[in-house]
Amino acid sequence: MPTKDEVVMPQIAQERFERLKAHTANIGVIGLGYVGLPLTLLLSEAGFKVTGFDIDVKKVSDLEAGRSYIFRIPSEDIQSARKKGLQATTEFSKLAKMDAIIMCVPTPLTGHREPDLSFIENTARSAAPWIQEGQLVVLESTTYPGTTEDLLIPILEAQNAHGLKVETKEGRGGKGVFYVAFSPEREDPGNTTVARHDIPKVVGGHEPIATELAAVLYEGIFTRSVRVSSTRVAEMTKLLENIYRCVNIALVNELKVLSLRMGVDIWEVIDAAATKPFGFHPFYPGPGLGGHCIPIDPFYLSWKAKEYDFNTRFIELAGEVNEAMPEFVTQAVGKALNRHKKALNGSKVLMLGMAYKKDIDDLRESPSLTIIELLRQEGAEVLYNDPYFPTVGKGRHYNLNMTCTPLENLDQYDCVLIVTDHTDYDYEEIVRTSKLVVDSRNATKGIVSDKIVRC
Ligand SMILES: NC(=O)c1ccc[n+]([C@@H]2O[C@H](COP(=O)([O-])OP(=O)(O)OC[C@H]3O[C@@H](n4cnc5c(N)ncnc54)[C@H](O)[C@@H]3O)[C@@H](O)[C@H]2O)c1
């Protein structure tokens, strides 16, 4: 891999490079969701002229009106970005004016748990006609190695209006070319210990000029970029990170189930192990995986691996263990009620927390959704409280139509079930006023009460 000083840029790329370095470049961000919107604001804050693109008319009109639709982003941040020139639009023709285009569209699984790349494909088709000579296109969506080169680039080349081709490693001398890179988003929603701009940004170009263009772009908003030799390495880096989390969470979930049987407090064990200054990184058990990343991304790789006649056993096993956790929590509620001489059938359960993890407003793939379904199947009446969700309606895999229940008169419930350990909850008070608390997050750590059942 050439060092950045060894990369020789044709004039058209050099001009874009200088604009990116000086923060005077026009940047288009496609997909203004949990990843794209904060990125748009970071770019705007750094002085870039930013235009956000989305097919969701409501998101675009909210942004144009200075309104945020993501809980942790205040509307004032949108308004101040608007003053700095942030625009939002559904008109993809405006992409023609951009120096760089960053794509942050969803990469979910289909109903058969296979990669659903339709969002990347559709975005590529919408963008392709407007791609200009010398432009940089960066894909940020999490996906399997090969997506940028085998799916994105062919669409951009086949459907752009000027017959442009992607720059190659051999070099086309800047004539009739555009540049393509992959750079994974590594944000950890709700994490307040590491500022987003301090998370190093991995960038891998299709060839070295694209790597340098992407690196200089991200160095405008992140403390550091990490250059890798190809888009495939960058794509695989993100998957390794998420598979590492998925497998380790499965490990502690399995050990939690065993520890509960053995009468050992797994959370105390993890805290003790975490004092080792090397070779151990703590992961914590819970009611199951959630979010748009950890429950999904590993299966992008296991699907791709089949093409290579390869079975990703760790991923499959971790998936099996983690997916069993909502059922485990449901059974724990049943057993806890049984000890109170009650059946799950007919019991009134208040679930605390709908979000897939604490202090965020993201419900995607949340184990709470499965737990509600399982409790209802057993005949329980389930209500929920979550300060981040006044209502829960319909999503990709659920249709609940529920309204947040106030956190009061907790003794009216047969069981209070903690699924998300939001910081704002007063757990002492919750335990004091409830008849029975089933805690799947160790949120009641340090509270001594025979009303608590940890699971
Ligand atoms: N949310 C996270 O914390 C996180 C973290 C790391 C990586 N990622 C990855 O980033 C990507 C985006 O995730 P997200 O959480 O922001 O998703 P999201 O659903 O919040 O946002 C995606 C946005 O893309 C828009 N969109 C869909 N199709 C489009 C199209 N054809 N043209 C223009 N806009 C389109 C949607 O309307 C939506 O606003 C995914 O690949 C995800 O795996 C997410």
Side-chain angles (χ1 to χ4, degrees):
M1 190 169 96
T3 65
K4 62 179 174 183
D5 298 328
E6 287 166 354
V7 176
V8 181
M9 292 201 186
Q11 197 188 341
I12 186 134
Q14 190 64 40
E15 284 168 9
R16 305 263 185 195
F17 183 90
E18 296 304 336
R19 279 206 287 280
L20 290 166
K21 197 170 177 186
H23 298 200
T24 52
N26 290 307
I27 314 288
V29 176
I30 309 182
L32 302 170
Y34 288 95
V35 167
L37 182 57
L39 177 68
T40 302
L41 298 179
L42 275 182
L43 288 162
S44 173
E45 206 175 297
F48 290 102
K49 290 174 217 139
V50 192
T51 308
F53 297 79
D54 208 293
I55 46 170
D56 185 334
V57 179
K58 164 114 182 30
K59 281 190 178 134
V60 167
S61 60
D62 275 352
L63 294 181
E64 285 287 286
R67 273 193 307 271
S68 176
Y69 42 81
I70 294 183
F71 193 89
R72 66 195 145 94
I73 298 179
S75 291
E76 294 79 61
D77 290 9
I78 311 284
Q79 287 149 20
S80 85
R82 295 273 303 147
K83 285 191 193 122
K84 293 187 181 119
L86 171 70
Q87 292 184 10
T89 182
T90 54
E91 281 176 47
F92 281 70
S93 60
K94 292 187 179 164
L95 286 172
K97 295 257 184 311
M98 304 297 131
D99 293 293
I101 298 165
I102 307 175
M103 298 178 174
C104 314
V105 292
T107 41
L109 294 173
T110 65
H112 293 96
R113 300 193 69 71
E114 292 183 349
D116 177 0
L117 293 170
S118 62
F119 296 91
I120 295 182
E121 283 175 37
N122 291 339
T123 305
R125 280 195 205 101
S126 310
W130 313 107
I131 300 295
Q132 303 297 309
E133 194 176 53
Q135 260 181 351
L136 170 70
V137 178
V138 186
L139 180 63
E140 283 210 9
S141 307
T142 308
T143 183
Y144 58 73
T147 309
T148 307
E149 292 185 349
D150 303 339
L151 181 82
L152 178 65
I153 290 177
I155 298 175
L156 295 180
E157 286 189 333
Q159 301 189 17
N160 82 72
H162 311 287
L164 302 174
K165 296 283 171 214
V166 72
E167 181 58 293
T168 60
K169 288 188 182 66
E170 296 71 42
R172 298 185 204 258
K175 280 262 164 286
V177 300
F178 60 97
Y179 300 93
V180 175
F182 182 85
S183 178
E185 170 53 55
R186 306 165 98 186
E187 192 203 11
D188 182 16
N191 185 331
T192 48
T193 54
V194 185
R196 185 157 182 205
H197 59 258
D198 283 336
I199 305 170
K201 197 78 169 96
V202 172
V203 292
H206 180 62
E207 44 63 52
I209 298 174
T211 308
E212 288 313 315
L213 289 171
V216 74
L217 160 61
Y218 287 116
E219 279 159 14
I221 49 172
F222 291 97
T223 315
R224 177 162 92 86
S225 48
V226 178
R227 293 160 173 77
V228 295
S229 61
S230 66
T231 54
R232 281 178 152 76
V233 170
E235 289 162 333
M236 189 69 155
T237 302
K238 172 73 187 175
L239 291 184
L240 169 62
E241 291 167 6
N242 282 358
I243 291 163
Y244 170 80
R245 280 182 74 84
C246 179
V247 168
N248 279 286
I249 292 169
L251 175 67
V252 289
N253 274 334
E254 186 171 85
L255 293 184
K256 171 183 80 169
V257 175
L258 173 63
S259 297
L260 281 165
R261 281 196 200 175
M262 297 172 97
V264 175
D265 181 343
I266 186 70
W267 289 276
E268 190 184 349
V269 172
I270 296 168
D271 286 348
T275 60
K276 189 177 179 184
F278 51 87
F280 183 83
H281 182 86
F283 287 85
Y284 296 93
L289 296 180
H292 185 20
C293 296
I294 314 292
I296 292 173
D297 303 346
F299 296 102
Y300 267 65
L301 191 64
S302 49
W303 179 85
K304 189 67 180 171
K306 291 194 177 77
E307 200 180 305
Y308 297 83
D309 209 8
F310 192 92
N311 190 10
T312 51
R313 286 174 292 165
F314 272 102
I315 295 175
E316 302 301 335
L317 179 60
E320 201 182 297
V321 173
N322 288 327
E323 280 164 24
M325 295 321 292
E327 177 72 48
F328 177 76
V329 170
T330 307
Q331 284 175 11
V333 174
K335 283 184 192 166
L337 283 166
N338 190 45
R339 268 186 245 147
H340 282 227
K341 302 197 184 322
K342 284 185 186 145
L344 200 43
N345 195 349
S347 282
K348 206 168 168 185
V349 179
L350 178 68
M351 208 171 79
L352 298 191
M354 288 293 285
Y356 78 85
K357 69 173 178 176
K358 69 174 176 183
D359 304 337
I360 61 163
D361 63 335
D362 195 342
L363 198 59
R364 289 175 299 177
E365 315 292 325
S366 178
S368 60
L369 301 165
T370 315
I371 294 170
I372 290 180
E373 204 178 301
L374 292 170
L375 287 170
R376 283 182 172 171
Q377 275 168 17
E378 294 301 320
E381 182 191 348
V382 190
L383 298 95
Y384 85 90
N385 174 279
D386 190 316
Y388 293 87
F389 294 99
T391 59
V392 174
K394 205 172 166 204
R396 268 173 85 84
H397 305 297
Y398 60 92
N399 187 0
L400 287 176
N401 196 18
M402 292 172 81
T403 305
C404 180
T405 302
L407 202 58
E408 56 195 29
N409 304 329
L410 295 187
D411 61 350
Q412 67 180 296
Y413 303 104
D414 298 302
C415 174
V416 170
L417 167 62
I418 301 170
V419 172
T420 320
D421 49 343
H422 288 311
T423 309
D424 283 351
Y425 284 135
D426 179 346
Y427 293 103
E428 293 261 6
E429 184 62 9
I430 288 166
V431 172
R432 197 184 63 76
T433 52
S434 301
K435 286 194 237 169
L436 169 67
V437 176
V438 175
D439 179 3
S440 69
R441 294 278 190 182
N442 200 29
T444 56
K445 179 180 174 180
I447 304 173
V448 181
S449 166
D450 55 10
K451 294 179 190 172
I452 302 171
V453 175
R454 298 197 173 90
C455 73

mmCIF file of all heavy atoms in Angstrom, residues 30-35 54-56 59 92 104-107 119 122-123 141-142 185 187 189 238 292-293 364, ligand 1:
data_model
loop_
_atom_site.group_PDB
_atom_site.id
_atom_site.type_symbol
_atom_site.label_atom_id
_atom_site.label_comp_id
_atom_site.label_asym_id
_atom_site.label_seq_id
_atom_site.Cartn_x
_atom_site.Cartn_y
_atom_site.Cartn_z
ATOM 1 N N ILE A 30 -26.156 10.782 1.691
ATOM 2 C CA ILE A 30 -27.408 10.097 1.304
ATOM 3 C C ILE A 30 -27.811 9.141 2.419
ATOM 4 O O ILE A 30 -27.045 8.262 2.799
ATOM 5 C CB ILE A 30 -27.256 9.299 -0.006
ATOM 6 C CG1 ILE A 30 -26.644 10.168 -1.104
ATOM 7 C CG2 ILE A 30 -28.611 8.758 -0.444
ATOM 8 C CD1 ILE A 30 -26.515 9.454 -2.454
ATOM 9 N N GLY A 31 -29.044 9.328 2.934
ATOM 10 C CA GLY A 31 -29.540 8.516 4.047
ATOM 11 C C GLY A 31 -29.338 9.288 5.338
ATOM 12 O O GLY A 31 -28.239 9.323 5.894
ATOM 13 N N LEU A 32 -30.419 9.926 5.801
ATOM 14 C CA LEU A 32 -30.290 10.844 6.950
ATOM 15 C C LEU A 32 -30.867 10.220 8.212
ATOM 16 O O LEU A 32 -31.674 10.824 8.911
ATOM 17 C CB LEU A 32 -30.992 12.169 6.619
ATOM 18 C CG LEU A 32 -30.435 12.860 5.367
ATOM 19 C CD1 LEU A 32 -31.327 14.021 4.943
ATOM 20 C CD2 LEU A 32 -29.012 13.354 5.625
ATOM 21 N N GLY A 33 -30.447 8.993 8.503
ATOM 22 C CA GLY A 33 -30.942 8.296 9.684
ATOM 23 C C GLY A 33 -29.994 8.440 10.859
ATOM 24 O O GLY A 33 -29.314 9.453 11.011
ATOM 25 N N TYR A 34 -29.923 7.388 11.680
ATOM 26 C CA TYR A 34 -29.106 7.428 12.895
ATOM 27 C C TYR A 34 -27.631 7.670 12.585
ATOM 28 O O TYR A 34 -26.915 8.239 13.400
ATOM 29 C CB TYR A 34 -29.247 6.104 13.657
ATOM 30 C CG TYR A 34 -30.585 5.936 14.330
ATOM 31 C CD1 TYR A 34 -31.621 5.244 13.699
ATOM 32 C CD2 TYR A 34 -30.833 6.480 15.587
ATOM 33 C CE1 TYR A 34 -32.858 5.087 14.306
ATOM 34 C CE2 TYR A 34 -32.073 6.325 16.208
ATOM 35 C CZ TYR A 34 -33.074 5.632 15.560
ATOM 36 O OH TYR A 34 -34.293 5.480 16.164
ATOM 37 N N VAL A 35 -27.162 7.222 11.420
ATOM 38 C CA VAL A 35 -25.770 7.431 11.034
ATOM 39 C C VAL A 35 -25.616 8.727 10.229
ATOM 40 O O VAL A 35 -24.769 9.571 10.512
ATOM 41 C CB VAL A 35 -25.243 6.224 10.222
ATOM 42 C CG1 VAL A 35 -23.922 6.542 9.552
ATOM 43 C CG2 VAL A 35 -25.080 5.021 11.138
ATOM 44 N N ASP A 54 -32.465 12.243 1.062
ATOM 45 C CA ASP A 54 -33.206 11.089 1.578
ATOM 46 C C ASP A 54 -34.469 10.917 0.734
ATOM 47 O O ASP A 54 -34.939 11.877 0.112
ATOM 48 C CB ASP A 54 -33.567 11.292 3.060
ATOM 49 C CG ASP A 54 -33.699 9.972 3.813
ATOM 50 O OD1 ASP A 54 -34.650 9.199 3.498
ATOM 51 O OD2 ASP A 54 -32.874 9.694 4.696
ATOM 52 N N ILE A 55 -35.004 9.691 0.723
ATOM 53 C CA ILE A 55 -36.274 9.473 0.026
ATOM 54 C C ILE A 55 -37.440 9.705 0.986
ATOM 55 O O ILE A 55 -38.591 9.739 0.571
ATOM 56 C CB ILE A 55 -36.372 8.039 -0.561
ATOM 57 C CG1 ILE A 55 -35.917 7.002 0.472
ATOM 58 C CG2 ILE A 55 -35.552 7.916 -1.836
ATOM 59 C CD1 ILE A 55 -36.199 5.578 0.080
ATOM 60 N N ASP A 56 -37.128 9.842 2.278
ATOM 61 C CA ASP A 56 -38.166 10.059 3.282
ATOM 62 C C ASP A 56 -38.505 11.556 3.323
ATOM 63 O O ASP A 56 -37.761 12.376 3.884
ATOM 64 C CB ASP A 56 -37.625 9.573 4.643
ATOM 65 C CG ASP A 56 -38.672 9.631 5.745
ATOM 66 O OD1 ASP A 56 -39.596 10.461 5.633
ATOM 67 O OD2 ASP A 56 -38.545 8.871 6.715
ATOM 68 N N LYS A 59 -38.565 13.320 6.781
ATOM 69 C CA LYS A 59 -37.255 13.668 7.357
ATOM 70 C C LYS A 59 -36.723 14.936 6.691
ATOM 71 O O LYS A 59 -36.218 15.841 7.362
ATOM 72 C CB LYS A 59 -36.254 12.528 7.148
ATOM 73 C CG LYS A 59 -36.446 11.407 8.146
ATOM 74 C CD LYS A 59 -35.313 10.400 8.100
ATOM 75 C CE LYS A 59 -35.541 9.330 9.155
ATOM 76 N NZ LYS A 59 -35.347 7.985 8.724
ATOM 77 N N PHE A 92 -32.184 14.126 -6.257
ATOM 78 C CA PHE A 92 -30.844 13.570 -6.426
ATOM 79 C C PHE A 92 -30.022 14.284 -7.491
ATOM 80 O O PHE A 92 -28.809 14.139 -7.537
ATOM 81 C CB PHE A 92 -30.946 12.056 -6.699
ATOM 82 C CG PHE A 92 -31.188 11.275 -5.437
ATOM 83 C CD1 PHE A 92 -32.410 11.355 -4.776
ATOM 84 C CD2 PHE A 92 -30.197 10.498 -4.875
ATOM 85 C CE1 PHE A 92 -32.632 10.669 -3.594
ATOM 86 C CE2 PHE A 92 -30.404 9.804 -3.686
ATOM 87 C CZ PHE A 92 -31.630 9.889 -3.053
ATOM 88 N N CYS A 104 -25.190 6.396 3.469
ATOM 89 C CA CYS A 104 -25.439 5.792 4.794
ATOM 90 C C CYS A 104 -26.836 5.190 4.814
ATOM 91 O O CYS A 104 -27.679 5.605 5.616
ATOM 92 C CB CYS A 104 -25.366 6.837 5.900
ATOM 93 S SG CYS A 104 -23.985 7.939 5.823
ATOM 94 N N VAL A 105 -27.098 4.259 3.947
ATOM 95 C CA VAL A 105 -28.454 3.695 3.865
ATOM 96 C C VAL A 105 -28.510 2.338 4.574
ATOM 97 O O VAL A 105 -27.472 1.721 4.834
ATOM 98 C CB VAL A 105 -28.923 3.601 2.389
ATOM 99 C CG1 VAL A 105 -29.131 4.988 1.809
ATOM 100 C CG2 VAL A 105 -27.959 2.785 1.549
ATOM 101 N N PRO A 106 -29.708 1.865 4.903
ATOM 102 C CA PRO A 106 -29.814 0.645 5.721
ATOM 103 C C PRO A 106 -29.316 -0.612 5.007
ATOM 104 O O PRO A 106 -29.382 -0.706 3.780
ATOM 105 C CB PRO A 106 -31.323 0.516 5.980
ATOM 106 C CG PRO A 106 -31.925 1.820 5.613
ATOM 107 C CD PRO A 106 -31.031 2.453 4.610
ATOM 108 N N THR A 107 -28.858 -1.559 5.821
ATOM 109 C CA THR A 107 -28.485 -2.886 5.310
ATOM 110 C C THR A 107 -29.089 -3.934 6.258
ATOM 111 O O THR A 107 -28.384 -4.543 7.061
ATOM 112 C CB THR A 107 -26.951 -3.046 5.232
ATOM 113 O OG1 THR A 107 -26.360 -2.473 6.403
ATOM 114 C CG2 THR A 107 -26.372 -2.384 4.009
ATOM 115 N N PHE A 119 -31.386 -1.426 -0.542
ATOM 116 C CA PHE A 119 -31.237 0.020 -0.256
ATOM 117 C C PHE A 119 -29.970 0.564 -0.920
ATOM 118 O O PHE A 119 -29.974 1.662 -1.460
ATOM 119 C CB PHE A 119 -31.202 0.263 1.257
ATOM 120 C CG PHE A 119 -32.488 -0.111 1.947
ATOM 121 C CD1 PHE A 119 -32.662 -1.391 2.464
ATOM 122 C CD2 PHE A 119 -33.526 0.789 2.065
ATOM 123 C CE1 PHE A 119 -33.848 -1.762 3.079
ATOM 124 C CE2 PHE A 119 -34.723 0.441 2.682
ATOM 125 C CZ PHE A 119 -34.879 -0.842 3.190
ATOM 126 N N ASN A 122 -30.696 0.627 -4.727
ATOM 127 C CA ASN A 122 -31.578 1.741 -5.123
ATOM 128 C C ASN A 122 -30.860 3.079 -5.028
ATOM 129 O O ASN A 122 -31.025 3.951 -5.882
ATOM 130 C CB ASN A 122 -32.833 1.777 -4.236
ATOM 131 C CG ASN A 122 -33.727 0.582 -4.530
ATOM 132 O OD1 ASN A 122 -33.633 -0.019 -5.603
ATOM 133 N ND2 ASN A 122 -34.564 0.212 -3.576
ATOM 134 N N THR A 123 -30.051 3.233 -3.975
ATOM 135 C CA THR A 123 -29.312 4.485 -3.813
ATOM 136 C C THR A 123 -28.324 4.652 -4.961
ATOM 137 O O THR A 123 -28.199 5.739 -5.535
ATOM 138 C CB THR A 123 -28.549 4.473 -2.468
ATOM 139 O OG1 THR A 123 -29.496 4.218 -1.443
ATOM 140 C CG2 THR A 123 -27.856 5.787 -2.195
ATOM 141 N N SER A 141 -22.436 2.070 4.695
ATOM 142 C CA SER A 141 -23.346 1.030 5.211
ATOM 143 C C SER A 141 -22.575 -0.253 5.497
ATOM 144 O O SER A 141 -21.749 -0.676 4.690
ATOM 145 C CB SER A 141 -24.425 0.721 4.175
ATOM 146 O OG SER A 141 -25.078 1.891 3.776
ATOM 147 N N THR A 142 -22.893 -0.886 6.614
ATOM 148 C CA THR A 142 -22.214 -2.137 6.982
ATOM 149 C C THR A 142 -22.618 -3.248 6.020
ATOM 150 O O THR A 142 -23.813 -3.451 5.769
ATOM 151 C CB THR A 142 -22.636 -2.541 8.410
ATOM 152 O OG1 THR A 142 -22.437 -1.421 9.257
ATOM 153 C CG2 THR A 142 -21.843 -3.719 8.905
ATOM 154 N N GLU A 185 -19.028 2.939 9.426
ATOM 155 C CA GLU A 185 -19.452 3.766 10.565
ATOM 156 C C GLU A 185 -19.226 2.925 11.822
ATOM 157 O O GLU A 185 -19.663 1.782 11.887
ATOM 158 C CB GLU A 185 -20.930 4.114 10.397
ATOM 159 C CG GLU A 185 -21.565 4.749 11.608
ATOM 160 C CD GLU A 185 -20.812 5.952 12.112
ATOM 161 O OE1 GLU A 185 -20.591 6.875 11.316
ATOM 162 O OE2 GLU A 185 -20.432 5.972 13.302
ATOM 163 N N GLU A 187 -19.869 4.130 15.079
ATOM 164 C CA GLU A 187 -20.480 4.796 16.223
ATOM 165 C C GLU A 187 -21.084 3.786 17.200
ATOM 166 O O GLU A 187 -21.566 2.734 16.792
ATOM 167 C CB GLU A 187 -21.599 5.732 15.722
ATOM 168 C CG GLU A 187 -22.096 6.662 16.790
ATOM 169 C CD GLU A 187 -23.503 7.169 16.517
ATOM 170 O OE1 GLU A 187 -24.170 6.638 15.608
ATOM 171 O OE2 GLU A 187 -23.946 8.067 17.227
ATOM 172 N N PRO A 189 -24.035 4.080 19.670
ATOM 173 C CA PRO A 189 -25.082 4.979 20.165
ATOM 174 C C PRO A 189 -25.194 4.928 21.684
ATOM 175 O O PRO A 189 -25.153 3.849 22.272
ATOM 176 C CB PRO A 189 -26.357 4.442 19.512
ATOM 177 C CG PRO A 189 -25.895 3.651 18.346
ATOM 178 C CD PRO A 189 -24.553 3.094 18.711
ATOM 179 N N LYS A 238 -15.178 -3.831 9.775
ATOM 180 C CA LYS A 238 -16.423 -3.547 10.505
ATOM 181 C C LYS A 238 -17.092 -4.855 10.949
ATOM 182 O O LYS A 238 -17.593 -4.964 12.064
ATOM 183 C CB LYS A 238 -17.359 -2.745 9.593
ATOM 184 C CG LYS A 238 -18.746 -2.544 10.125
ATOM 185 C CD LYS A 238 -18.801 -1.553 11.248
ATOM 186 C CE LYS A 238 -20.192 -1.503 11.856
ATOM 187 N NZ LYS A 238 -20.266 -0.636 13.012
ATOM 188 N N HIS A 292 -29.416 -2.095 15.008
ATOM 189 C CA HIS A 292 -29.314 -2.377 13.581
ATOM 190 C C HIS A 292 -27.995 -3.075 13.236
ATOM 191 O O HIS A 292 -27.731 -3.382 12.082
ATOM 192 C CB HIS A 292 -29.445 -1.047 12.816
ATOM 193 C CG HIS A 292 -29.478 -1.202 11.335
ATOM 194 N ND1 HIS A 292 -29.798 -2.380 10.709
ATOM 195 C CD2 HIS A 292 -29.224 -0.336 10.343
ATOM 196 C CE1 HIS A 292 -29.749 -2.214 9.395
ATOM 197 N NE2 HIS A 292 -29.394 -0.983 9.144
ATOM 198 N N CYS A 293 -27.134 -3.337 14.241
ATOM 199 C CA CYS A 293 -25.803 -3.854 13.899
ATOM 200 C C CYS A 293 -25.565 -5.279 14.378
ATOM 201 O O CYS A 293 -25.495 -6.206 13.571
ATOM 202 C CB CYS A 293 -24.741 -2.927 14.481
ATOM 203 S SG CYS A 293 -24.806 -1.280 13.767
ATOM 204 N N ARG A 364 -34.973 -0.753 17.058
ATOM 205 C CA ARG A 364 -34.781 -1.765 16.023
ATOM 206 C C ARG A 364 -34.204 -3.066 16.600
ATOM 207 O O ARG A 364 -33.223 -3.039 17.322
ATOM 208 C CB ARG A 364 -33.877 -1.208 14.921
ATOM 209 C CG ARG A 364 -34.599 -0.149 14.116
ATOM 210 C CD ARG A 364 -33.703 0.495 13.125
ATOM 211 N NE ARG A 364 -32.573 1.175 13.745
ATOM 212 C CZ ARG A 364 -31.606 1.781 13.052
ATOM 213 N NH1 ARG A 364 -31.633 1.748 11.744
ATOM 214 N NH2 ARG A 364 -30.638 2.406 13.670
HETATM 215 N N1 LIG B 1 -27.348 3.022 13.803
HETATM 216 C C1 LIG B 1 -26.127 2.719 14.169
HETATM 217 O O1 LIG B 1 -25.777 2.874 15.314
HETATM 218 C C2 LIG B 1 -25.089 2.203 13.175
HETATM 219 C C3 LIG B 1 -23.772 2.074 13.610
HETATM 220 C C4 LIG B 1 -22.815 1.635 12.712
HETATM 221 C C5 LIG B 1 -23.190 1.309 11.404
HETATM 222 N N2 LIG B 1 -24.492 1.429 11.004
HETATM 223 C C6 LIG B 1 -24.819 1.106 9.615
HETATM 224 O O2 LIG B 1 -25.097 2.325 8.932
HETATM 225 C C7 LIG B 1 -26.100 2.114 7.928
HETATM 226 C C8 LIG B 1 -27.263 3.063 8.132
HETATM 227 O O3 LIG B 1 -27.859 2.781 9.382
HETATM 228 P P1 LIG B 1 -28.833 3.801 10.102
HETATM 229 O O4 LIG B 1 -28.948 3.295 11.486
HETATM 230 O O5 LIG B 1 -28.442 5.192 9.891
HETATM 231 O O6 LIG B 1 -30.200 3.521 9.278
HETATM 232 P P2 LIG B 1 -31.536 4.403 9.343
HETATM 233 O O7 LIG B 1 -32.633 3.490 8.952
HETATM 234 O O8 LIG B 1 -31.620 5.139 10.621
HETATM 235 O O9 LIG B 1 -31.319 5.501 8.204
HETATM 236 C C9 LIG B 1 -31.213 5.192 6.875
HETATM 237 C C10 LIG B 1 -31.797 6.326 6.052
HETATM 238 O O10 LIG B 1 -31.615 6.000 4.682
HETATM 239 C C11 LIG B 1 -32.770 6.433 3.986
HETATM 240 N N3 LIG B 1 -32.861 5.737 2.711
HETATM 241 C C12 LIG B 1 -33.249 4.465 2.474
HETATM 242 N N4 LIG B 1 -33.191 4.195 1.160
HETATM 243 C C13 LIG B 1 -32.743 5.316 0.559
HETATM 244 C C14 LIG B 1 -32.480 5.660 -0.789
HETATM 245 N N5 LIG B 1 -32.667 4.775 -1.783
HETATM 246 N N6 LIG B 1 -32.044 6.906 -1.052
HETATM 247 C C15 LIG B 1 -31.875 7.807 -0.050
HETATM 248 N N7 LIG B 1 -32.117 7.540 1.237
HETATM 249 C C16 LIG B 1 -32.536 6.299 1.549
HETATM 250 C C17 LIG B 1 -33.904 6.128 4.931
HETATM 251 O O11 LIG B 1 -35.064 6.877 4.606
HETATM 252 C C18 LIG B 1 -33.289 6.543 6.272
HETATM 253 O O12 LIG B 1 -33.531 7.900 6.556
HETATM 254 C C19 LIG B 1 -26.471 0.644 8.049
HETATM 255 O O13 LIG B 1 -25.732 -0.103 7.122
HETATM 256 C C20 LIG B 1 -26.067 0.271 9.448
HETATM 257 O O14 LIG B 1 -25.762 -1.102 9.578
HETATM 258 C C21 LIG B 1 -25.443 1.885 11.867
#
